[in-house]
Amino acid sequence: MVKINGTEKELAGMTLSAYLATTDYDPGQIAVERNGEIVPKARYSQVVLQEGDNLEVVSFVGGG
Amino acid sequence: MIPTKKEWMDALARRHGAALQKRFSAASVAVCGLGGLGSNIATALARAGVGRLILVDFDRVDLSNLHRQQYKAQQIGRRKTDALAENLLEIAPYAKIDSIPAQITEENCVQLLAGADVVCEAFDDARAKAMLTNQVLTAMPDTYLVAASGMAGLGSANAIRTKKITNRFYLCGDRVSDAEAVGGLLSSRVMVCAAHQAHMVLRILAGKYEV
């Protein structure tokens, strides 16, 4: 299982970019933390989600 | 009559303790975006005696800013970097303030923010927020980032929180209240979020890394 924003999902083996494509996140408005590190945007298509991974997708909203 | 620098520093040391004040005085903090968040963050940090503030914004003071941003009616039309620097130096005359009237991009981010111990993301635009967050956290390995997302509207002030996302990334806000979706920003709720950010900066400078 892969935990994303606190919810466990069957995503092991999938790339990060493939997972994000199944969501409503706007790729230009997010930062992704994986196991304590921010994933560089250029690596989204190379990072393969592993069993036990813990991710947080931070999706920014406007206002400041 | 403005106090001497020694009187000023002695007063800060009495308030904060000499050891803590030494940390604040030695620190450089960048504030990116000088709107409702950034102008309030910078004010709090200047009052706390943070030694050097790097102020970044490409915009000018507009009438539509004055309901939540730390500017004055007579400053409408001036560069925000100049107007805020002037206001901060009235509050804290011995602060070192570096004004950068430029737009931060992926390309210039590292160069413009070099030397900052902590970067505050205080932009309005969601894409700019994400860009700065990704750049600082992937290209500036020794720098902390305190960002904000979700502080618009009349929702409860208690919904604004600070969360530690990684060892160098802190996020303040309710994470959902989008300014366009909920219809505008109120000074008080934006200030709550700005205070969360400024407070987390001071905690980091003090060596307290938990939220």
Side-chain angles (χ1 to χ4, degrees):
Chain A
M1 296 292 253
V2 175
K3 195 181 262 188
I4 297 197
N5 290 23
T7 304
E8 294 205 317
K9 298 184 177 180
E10 296 278 5
L11 299 172
M14 201 174 192
T15 65
L16 177 57
S17 55
Y19 163 69
L20 291 171
T22 69
T23 69
D24 291 332
Y25 291 122
D26 178 336
Q29 297 187 6
I30 60 171
V32 180
E33 172 267 340
R34 179 185 182 225
N35 302 332
E37 299 289 338
I38 292 298
V39 182
K41 291 199 96 90
R43 289 188 34 81
Y44 284 8
S45 60
Q46 296 152 41
V47 167
V48 178
L49 302 177
Q50 307 286 324
E51 196 64 33
D53 273 0
N54 201 334
L55 287 91
E56 178 152 0
V57 181
V58 174
S59 181
F60 285 92
V61 297
Chain B
M1 180 73 173
I2 294 174
T4 66
K5 184 166 186 183
K6 182 172 188 313
E7 289 169 331
W8 195 274
M9 300 314 292
D10 286 350
L12 283 171
R14 278 197 299 277
R15 288 292 172 196
H16 298 149
L20 188 54
Q21 192 55 48
K22 198 173 166 188
R23 285 173 173 245
F24 292 170
S25 298
S28 288
V29 178
V31 182
C32 301
L34 304 179
L37 294 172
S39 63
N40 281 300
I41 293 167
T43 301
L45 297 179
R47 287 194 189 279
V50 169
R52 175 176 173 237
L53 292 171
I54 303 165
L55 306 180
V56 192
D57 200 303
F58 62 88
D59 211 353
R60 290 176 183 270
V61 179
D62 186 83
L63 173 56
S64 66
N65 302 149
L66 294 188
H67 71 112
R68 71 182 195 281
Q69 305 184 15
Q70 295 296 335
Y71 301 102
K72 305 168 193 174
Q74 66 183 26
Q75 292 178 317
I76 290 171
R78 296 192 48 203
R79 283 188 191 282
K80 287 187 175 179
T81 43
D82 293 342
L84 188 60
E86 186 178 285
N87 296 346
L88 295 178
L89 288 171
E90 286 178 9
I91 292 167
Y94 301 106
K96 178 168 168 35
I97 296 174
D98 291 334
S99 292
I100 304 178
Q103 183 155 18
I104 294 182
T105 65
E106 277 181 355
E107 291 71 34
N108 68 16
C109 170
V110 174
Q111 187 194 347
L112 291 183
L113 303 179
D117 300 301
V118 186
V119 172
C120 291
E121 179 284 303
F123 291 141
D124 191 48
D125 177 72
R127 303 183 89 81
K129 288 173 174 290
M131 181 278 294
L132 183 67
T133 297
N134 282 298
Q135 281 303 105
V136 169
L137 293 170
T138 57
M140 301 179 73
D142 300 321
T143 308
Y144 292 86
L145 181 82
V146 183
S149 181
M151 76 301 296
L154 260 177
S156 170
N158 289 341
I160 307 273
R161 300 171 62 89
T162 302
K163 182 171 183 192
K164 184 176 182 178
I165 308 285
T166 77
N167 283 338
R168 297 189 293 118
F169 176 23
Y170 298 84
L171 183 65
C172 305
D174 68 15
R175 300 182 64 168
V176 293
S177 298
D178 179 86
E180 282 190 18
V182 305
L185 294 148
L186 288 161
S187 170
S188 45
R189 201 159 191 261
V190 176
M191 285 172 80
V192 170
C193 191
H196 267 261
Q197 289 183 272
H199 196 63
M200 196 63 235
V201 171
L202 295 180
R203 284 180 59 82
I204 292 167
L205 298 180
K208 297 179 188 297
Y209 299 105
E210 298 310 315
V211 299

